[in-house]
Amino acid sequence: MHILIIDDEPLARSRLRHLLGDCTPHGEHWTMSEAASASQALPPLSGPLPVDIVLLDIQMPGANGMSFAFTLQQLPAPPAIIFVTAHSHYAAQAFDVQACDYLTKPVRLERLQQALAKAKKQLPSDPGPQLAIAPWAARAGLGRRWCISRPSSKCSPSTPRRAAMCWKAAWSIWSSVTRTRAAHSPQLLGQSGLFATPGICRARGLVSPSARYCPTLASLTAAGGGSAQTFNNL
Amino acid sequence: MREEVELAKRYLDIEQLRFGPRMQVRWNIDPEVLSLPVPPLVLQPLVENAVKHGVEPSETPAHIRISLHRHGKNYAILTVTNTQAGPSAPGLGMALANVRHRLQLLYDMDFQMEQRHKAHAFQVQLRLPFNRTPAYHCPCTS
């Protein structure tokens, strides 16, 4: 779970940080980032670790929180937005940007916990073991959707039996990754000849693979991995 | 005026905690002016305005300059200047109107209040009579 706090006041950020520390569920790993303005929030938002929840102040210098929330909603995978503000009169507008919750300062722990619980429900659910290996996996009748094979991988079996073996190996690596929540999962995933999307990593609470392991369709076809049609058919 | 300055300083101390290095305040006080009798809450609203419209909307450090000095024998000049990075959310205009109105009641024509919009700054300047105690007309005591 990656939570980004955007507030121009350092004391307000530190208060939220401490409250978040107090409501971390046992055993769950949370990452927190901070930004003092909307413009400073862009690096963490475009960083390797996708942001799941944004705690967003409204009155800030530069772009205000409400207009920034509109920007966030345009993202392909928008994070859940929780407004944290001293003013109650923006609450109606918060509906327009599909905010998950609206907290007024000073924030109380119980209220923050409620908001986080709501936000978690909004996040994409765990896709589970829906790995897919392509295109040979598709031919072998294996799962599809989340992962695709590295075009140049050795793991490019010709027969369904080999495909199944490959699948099994990949699956065991994937399982070990998800069990250990290893910080270096991209490497492990790379070894398996699989790519994982940020979505699956987010759902698994993993560090997102770097862009190298999250190729776009265009980059895969450019790498000679097959036609766009092939990948669309996965 | 000494109490007014003390109050404004306390207020700015709180805002300093809030904004940290984003708020830079400079005082320039002529000690002679500190003994000037003034109505309460004449300085703090001007300083609060400077914080609201100068510091709050600014991502970069904003400056507030407060100066009190004598102007000739008969007047004291009180100036609050704040830098303005960009347009701030328009307020209700209550603070300045309120100060002006109260000064009008107390000093009638014997004071001046000017607002100046400069290139990247906003300034409010008060000229108050030095040798005149404001005439309080409180209905409860008269």
Side-chain angles (χ1 to χ4, degrees), chain A residues 8-11 36-37 39-40 59-63, chain B residues 17-22 52 55-59 89:
Chain A
D8 59 318
E9 292 171 24
L11 287 180
S37 66
S39 54
Q40 282 185 27
Q59 281 205 348
M60 291 188 290
Chain B
L17 282 176
R18 187 179 161 208
F19 293 111
R22 255 173 70 200
K52 188 168 168 51
V55 185
E56 257 183 38
S58 171
E59 273 185 84

Side-chain angles (χ1 to χ4, degrees), chain A residues 131 133 147 150 153 155 164-182 184-196 200 204 206 213:
Chain A
L131 296 171
I133 305 170
C147 289
R150 183 157 40 186
S153 166
C155 193
M165 283 167 65
C166 245
W167 168 261
K168 213 173 155 189
W171 178 241
S172 75
I173 290 173
W174 175 254
S175 308
S176 73
V177 167
T178 54
R179 255 203 317 277
T180 57
R181 296 177 183 278
H184 299 297
S185 54
Q187 280 71 28
L188 285 173
L189 288 171
Q191 282 170 22
S192 72
L194 298 177
F195 293 105
I200 199 167
R204 292 264 163 180
L206 296 171
Y213 295 101

Side-chain angles (χ1 to χ4, degrees), chain A:
Chain A
M1 181 79 68
H2 183 189
I3 301 180
L4 172 62
I5 303 169
I6 310 177
D7 196 310
D8 59 318
E9 292 171 24
L11 287 180
R13 292 200 302 272
S14 112
R15 162 95 179 139
L16 283 175
R17 207 170 49 233
H18 286 115
L19 283 175
L20 283 172
D22 286 345
C23 55
T24 311
H26 183 67
E28 197 167 331
H29 176 69
W30 286 9
T31 308
M32 284 182 242
S33 309
E34 289 180 28
S37 66
S39 54
Q40 282 185 27
L42 295 176
L45 279 166
S46 53
L49 184 59
V51 173
D52 302 295
I53 300 174
V54 175
L55 296 176
L56 184 58
D57 184 23
I58 295 182
Q59 281 205 348
M60 291 188 290
N64 82 19
M66 198 53 75
S67 62
F68 190 60
F70 274 106
T71 314
L72 287 175
Q73 288 300 336
Q74 309 307 314
L75 293 174
I81 296 168
I82 300 172
F83 284 113
V84 183
T85 169
H87 308 272
S88 55
H89 57 269
Y90 295 106
Q93 282 183 54
F95 280 98
D96 296 341
V97 291
Q98 285 138 46
C100 185
D101 210 334
Y102 190 97
L103 306 182
T104 47
K105 293 177 186 171
V107 177
R108 283 173 37 244
L109 179 64
E110 304 78 56
R111 193 63 192 79
L112 178 63
Q113 280 169 328
Q114 277 177 14
L116 290 172
K118 271 196 225 172
K120 274 191 189 171
K121 279 187 195 159
Q122 221 183 62
L123 294 173
S125 56
D126 188 336
Q130 295 179 25
L131 296 171
I133 305 170
W136 49 273
R139 283 200 299 273
L142 294 170
R144 56 206 198 116
R145 191 164 164 209
W146 285 108
C147 289
I148 45 182
S149 73
R150 183 157 40 186
S152 60
S153 166
K154 285 179 209 151
C155 193
S156 188
S158 45
T159 66
R161 190 183 137 72
R162 285 187 168 213
M165 283 167 65
C166 245
W167 168 261
K168 213 173 155 189
W171 178 241
S172 75
I173 290 173
W174 175 254
S175 308
S176 73
V177 167
T178 54
R179 255 203 317 277
T180 57
R181 296 177 183 278
H184 299 297
S185 54
Q187 280 71 28
L188 285 173
L189 288 171
Q191 282 170 22
S192 72
L194 298 177
F195 293 105
T197 63
I200 199 167
C201 291
R202 177 187 301 172
R204 292 264 163 180
L206 296 171
V207 172
S208 167
S210 65
R212 196 152 71 89
Y213 295 101
C214 289
T216 60
L217 194 62
S219 71
L220 278 172
T221 48
S227 66
Q229 196 56 44
T230 311
F231 288 103
N232 283 334
N233 286 341
L234 288 181

